[in-house]
Amino acid sequence: MATTLVIVESPTKAKTFSKYLESWRPRVYDVASSVGHIIDLPEKELGVDVEKGFLPHYVPVRGKTRIINDLKKRARAVEQVLIATDLDREGEAIAWHIANELGRATKGAVKIQRIRFNEITKKAIIDAVQHPDTIDQNRVDAQQARRVMDRLVGYQVSPILWKTVSRGLSAGRVQSVAVRLICEREEEIDAFVPQEYWSFDGTFTSQAGEDFQAQLLRLFDDAQSARAGVGDPRAGEKPAISSAAEAEAIKAAMEAASWQVAQIAEKEVSRKPAAPFITSTLQQDAARRLGFSPRKTMMLAQQLYEGVELSGGESVGLITYMRTDSTRLADSALEECRAWISENLGPEQVPDKPQQYRGKKRAQDAHEAIRPTSVLLTPESIKNSLQRDQYRLYQLIWKRFVACQMIPALFRQRSIDLLGDRFLCRATGSVLVRKGFLEIYEDMAENRKSAQKEDKPIPANLHEGENANLKELKAEQHFTKPPARFSQESLIRALEEQGIGRPSTYATIVDMILKRSYVELKEKRFHPTDLGKTVNRILVTHFTGIFNVDFTAGMETELDSIEGGESWQKVLDDFYSPFSKALQTAEANSRAIKEEVTETVGEACPECGRDLLYKWGRNGRFIACSGFPECRYTRNPDEQDGDRQTDVVCDKCGSPMVVKASRFGRFLGCSNYPKCRNIRPIDLGIECPKPDCKGRITERRSKRGRVFYGCSEYPKCDFASWDKPVLHPCPACGSNYMVERFTDGRNLLRCPVCKTEVDPEE
């Protein structure tokens, strides 16, 4: 009979633990799962006594009573309980709640302890079991303070939104700031005024007859100033030509000038590998390279961490704990990695000393960076044991870790400065001398510009002082572009840089603002919805000091300080004092706030003549008569007068079909409703590309509300695409359609067959 009960959070982790412990000491350990939190604040009430030092009122999580009773029963039957929940604050809080419940059930007769580990491997688990510890109360208090603070905001601000906008809305302490960032970026884009500027690209010919490219870099007052300014990066002015007339004058002057090679500079530049992944950088790179949402990345990482059954039947944890902001690496992992690189890639690829990386200022450094538990488990060696997306994420983590312990890449850079009268042009190029870590991993994040830049050949036999001939000069007109909307990757980076939220919360933040329909993803970029803009305007105006970046980042620092011993009640008191004042003011002004967000359409109701208003409901914004409830006229705000009629004929009654909208997206409905209730998806006018399928591509919406495009013959035909198909033949392979893509701020059309990309404007 087992003498020790080990409690983990997930059934998958319990299965892995059981195998390890049973093979080590049979029939000694009983392993159970809590399936996450078992105790939390109540769902339908505040659950916090503000007057009694923010005392939380905890209750069993709904549906967990059976699990709690089972844990109590199993705890009474053993001599010792070891709680093996995750390393973060949530894991510590779960351990605390379990310990409290089992302590009361066993009346102190059973020893209850905490065990910690950074990876789920047999060695790590056995070592943890042999060295049990106590629960970290400071970390529990930090989680408790965060939970209480978020509950106070959510449960006390949300009712104001119900009164002023629509029932069912909610506000979040951190999520609302993320929405604010997206809304403010949209305001910047709306207010942006493009500025004209010109660039000058010249094709020069050396005395040896070789052509090379150079761009206008500096303008000087005269030729003498230009000669004196060569080599001085501060000399001269950057070209700021803003009109066609000025550009033509500059072009004519450059073409008339005599050109000479003024300076040749050559140097070697090394590019160091990026640090191993932390939670935020993993989410960013997975979004950029693999197209994964933060939520999907964390779900897959959790699976890799908890254990995957390999071909021999053994369940193995493949990566270290995935909620971390530390770049620290264990000495044993470094030694193993360096040995693998030396053996498989060559000893010359290993630096003299192991690479250790500095963490950021706010990093808690509680555990290691995200890395493979063993570098010997190469992605290819276990590919057949992993699902496709598990493999892709594991490969990303493995390559980043190995690359971080390799020598830097080395480039030879060459620049040539050419003088012509008062103009200075520069040609630059670089040659990869040594690949180093680029053998394993191309760093797209920190070196995106240099990675995308196409190096142009520069003649090797040019000499300073020789003449050069300007063969051709192109003057190109450009316009400045507004700041780019946030992608999932750039939003996480912005949250991290500004200290909003923590690694474990980024995925939840993105998930929640999408789920609440405050923002939507279009072409992989966040756009605020009308609802999001309205809610943001209320929170920014009436909770000025609460829902802003500085205050939120400051509170994150305060919450972190609790782990160092700061009183959690004091931190909450410092927060609640200004928050409660703003809350009281907003509640008193709720009628005025409602009037602020109520907009008139500027039209009379077609049924009674009274003003039409924009209102909010559970399906979003709609137009309604101000005479409600006497007049119940409503319509979709996207339509000028009712639903837009189409040329499509209802196949049941012959009436025209009209475009309608619901919370599930747009669709075609019969204009003879309610006599005829026929509906159809919106047809894009493109035949399904699947062989022998006679269906057409239609607009659809997933269970999570995301728009995608599928065949009208579903489920007979399984064609689906997240990218919108466009009736545009591919110029390369002749495919009858292409798909819209949004890459690096540009709208492109991409062929789904041969991957050719074209600019639709060109």
Side-chain angles (χ1 to χ4, degrees), residues 568-722:
W568 68 275
Q569 284 100 338
K570 181 182 181 302
V571 169
L572 285 174
D573 192 55
D574 291 342
F575 161 78
Y576 197 71
S577 180
F579 173 69
S580 61
K581 291 177 183 178
L583 194 67
Q584 291 170 10
T585 303
E587 287 176 338
N589 296 331
S590 59
R591 183 179 294 274
I593 296 172
K594 186 176 181 66
E595 292 176 358
E596 286 175 15
V597 299
T598 301
E599 300 177 47
T600 58
V601 178
E603 297 178 27
C605 174
E607 294 186 3
C608 72
R610 283 176 280 200
D611 289 338
L612 292 178
L613 304 174
Y614 286 109
K615 291 191 173 184
W616 294 95
R618 63 179 182 176
N619 296 331
R621 197 163 75 148
F622 64 97
I623 292 174
C625 181
S626 58
F628 179 85
E630 291 85 3
C631 178
R632 294 180 174 270
Y633 173 81
T634 62
R635 77 165 190 251
N636 188 321
D638 293 330
E639 308 302 334
Q640 293 300 312
D641 186 16
D643 298 312
R644 179 169 56 85
Q645 188 167 307
T646 69
D647 295 331
V648 181
V649 176
C650 176
D651 53 2
K652 290 188 176 180
C653 72
S655 301
M657 302 287 279
V658 295
V659 177
K660 291 182 173 290
S662 75
R663 61 194 177 101
F664 301 108
R666 300 189 309 155
F667 64 95
L668 294 180
C670 183
S671 59
N672 197 25
Y673 177 87
K675 291 181 179 179
C676 178
R677 297 177 177 271
N678 187 27
I679 61 172
R680 290 171 56 180
I682 292 178
D683 190 330
L684 299 188
I686 303 173
E687 294 180 357
C688 177
K690 288 270 189 176
D692 303 321
C693 179
K694 297 182 180 180
R696 298 172 70 81
I697 301 177
T698 59
E699 181 181 308
R700 310 175 79 89
R701 191 171 288 257
S702 70
K703 291 180 180 178
R704 296 184 60 81
R706 184 178 172 188
V707 173
F708 73 99
Y709 305 90
C711 181
S712 59
E713 295 297 307
Y714 178 83
K716 292 181 181 178
C717 177
D718 62 355
F719 169 82
S721 170
W722 289 117

Side-chain angles (χ1 to χ4, degrees), residues 730-741:
C730 173
C733 72
S735 170
N736 70 320
Y737 79 101
M738 301 183 81
V739 296
E740 290 183 350
R741 299 279 292 186

Side-chain angles (χ1 to χ4, degrees), residues 277-286 298 322 324-325 360 370 489 492-493 496 502-504 506:
F277 282 130
I278 58 176
T279 304
S280 58
T281 55
L282 176 62
Q283 291 175 357
Q284 291 168 41
D285 227 30
M298 296 309 291
M322 63 286 161
T324 176
D325 54 7
K360 298 188 176 181
I370 303 170
E489 167 214 339
I492 290 172
R493 187 166 62 248
E496 181 187 28
R502 279 294 173 259
S504 59
Y506 297 142

Side-chain angles (χ1 to χ4, degrees), residues 127-152:
D127 184 63
V129 168
Q130 290 177 320
H131 300 89
D133 199 354
T134 57
I135 290 171
D136 186 337
Q137 190 60 45
N138 287 342
R139 184 167 287 187
V140 172
D141 289 343
Q143 188 277 342
Q144 187 166 242
R146 179 182 295 275
R147 186 76 182 93
V148 168
M149 188 182 293
D150 289 343
R151 174 56 63 95
L152 291 171

Side-chain angles (χ1 to χ4, degrees), residues 737-750:
Y737 79 101
M738 301 183 81
V739 296
E740 290 183 350
R741 299 279 292 186
F742 190 80
T743 306
D744 297 321
R746 296 189 303 149
N747 284 306
L748 298 172
L749 295 180
R750 174 182 287 180

